[in-house]
Amino acid sequence: IAGITQAPTSQILAAGRRMTLRCTQDMRHNAMYWYRQDLGLGLRLIHYSNTAGTTGKGEVPDGYSVSRANTDDFPLTLASAVPSQTSVYFCASSDSGSTDTQYFGPGTRLTVL
Amino acid sequence: GESVGLHLPTLSVQEGDNSIINCAYSNSASDYFIWYKQESGKGPQFIIDIRSNMDKRQGQRVTVLLNKTVKHLSLQIAATQPGDSAVYFCAGTNTDKLIFGTGTRLQVFP
């Protein structure tokens, strides 16, 4: 069982480009989340999905979009990347809602120039 | 807004000693807390959790204490080992979200 996988591991991106970060879980968890982690700021929730077919906005959703077409996949898209989106992005999942234990993927390090 | 935070950014301990990492929270309605360990270049890893109807929970070499009166929780690591070196952060519920603290870096020296 792999748990949560994320791709790519790292990426350098020119400002203005579109980018999709991939996240797949094999635990059949209902809920999935995207966080960004910046030095001194901790983990901040970008978007979440409580179940396939539904999504919601987190603390810092601007400039990002998500979709949840099925249980396993939860891609995060930056439509037009900006340097302030340089961060480490973590995908997580939990069996039920966000107050359940969340399990994290290995992260994607994104640099926007 | 609601917050979950840690007292010290860095904690240095000698191998074999016990470590205590602290966390304070502001929302008295928070009823679930989790401690995570994050090693360099990796994602956060679940260590132990506790619900507000408990004041202590033990795992393997780790204990979490919850003091709801002062809104404080701590993670105790017994016989700290070099492999325990990492950033530790707590998370607490805020209505239907988890709020994460910024973390304490635990450094273990021989």
Side-chain angles (χ1 to χ4, degrees):
Chain A
I1 295 178
I4 299 180
T5 57
Q6 293 184 235
T9 301
S10 65
Q11 181 75 44
I12 298 174
L13 188 67
R17 297 297 295 270
R18 180 184 179 90
M19 176 73 190
T20 295
L21 308 185
R22 301 184 298 278
C23 175
T24 300
Q25 54 107 355
D26 62 4
M27 297 176 283
R28 306 303 294 173
H29 282 171
N30 288 306
M32 296 186 74
Y33 316 86
W34 274 106
Y35 293 90
R36 59 178 290 171
Q37 187 177 44
D38 302 290
L39 192 64
L41 294 177
L43 286 162
R44 293 184 291 168
L45 182 65
I46 304 171
H47 284 287
Y48 65 94
S49 168
N50 286 330
T51 188
T54 69
T55 62
K57 294 182 179 180
E59 179 185 357
V60 288
D62 294 343
Y64 306 95
S65 64
V66 292
S67 62
R68 186 88 184 278
N70 57 61
T71 296
D72 299 343
D73 301 300
F74 191 43
L76 175 73
T77 297
L78 290 67
S80 179
V82 295
S84 63
Q85 292 178 311
T86 294
S87 187
V88 181
Y89 291 86
F90 289 102
C91 180
S93 72
S94 65
D95 191 25
S96 57
S98 55
T99 56
D100 195 4
T101 303
Q102 296 184 22
Y103 297 92
F104 287 81
T108 293
R109 181 175 295 275
L110 181 67
T111 302
V112 182
L113 302 176
Chain B
E2 302 297 344
S3 66
V4 175
L6 291 163
H7 290 185
L8 294 173
T10 303
L11 176 66
S12 295
V13 299
Q14 189 165 23
E15 182 178 355
D17 287 351
N18 296 333
S19 302
I20 300 176
I21 301 171
N22 297 301
C23 185
Y25 61 96
S26 62
N27 185 357
S28 58
S30 296
D31 61 2
Y32 178 58
F33 302 90
I34 308 172
W35 279 100
Y36 286 93
K37 172 186 180 183
Q38 187 174 21
E39 297 174 278
S40 181
K42 297 184 179 180
Q45 177 186 1
F46 170 85
I47 302 173
I48 192 168
D49 60 0
I50 189 168
R51 297 205 177 268
S52 59
N53 60 351
M54 304 172 68
D55 53 19
K56 180 180 181 179
R57 191 169 187 209
Q58 289 185 289
Q60 187 177 13
R61 277 201 310 118
V62 296
T63 301
V64 56
L65 300 177
L66 176 62
N67 185 330
K68 295 179 286 294
T69 302
V70 296
K71 291 183 282 188
H72 177 274
L73 70 158
S74 65
L75 176 71
Q76 299 179 4
I77 304 173
T80 310
Q81 303 169 0
D84 294 326
S85 295
V87 174
Y88 292 81
F89 53 92
C90 61
T93 55
N94 174 20
T95 58
D96 60 347
K97 300 290 187 294
L98 270 181
I99 304 296
F100 293 85
T102 54
T104 290
R105 180 173 298 279
L106 178 65
Q107 297 177 327
V108 183
F109 58 92

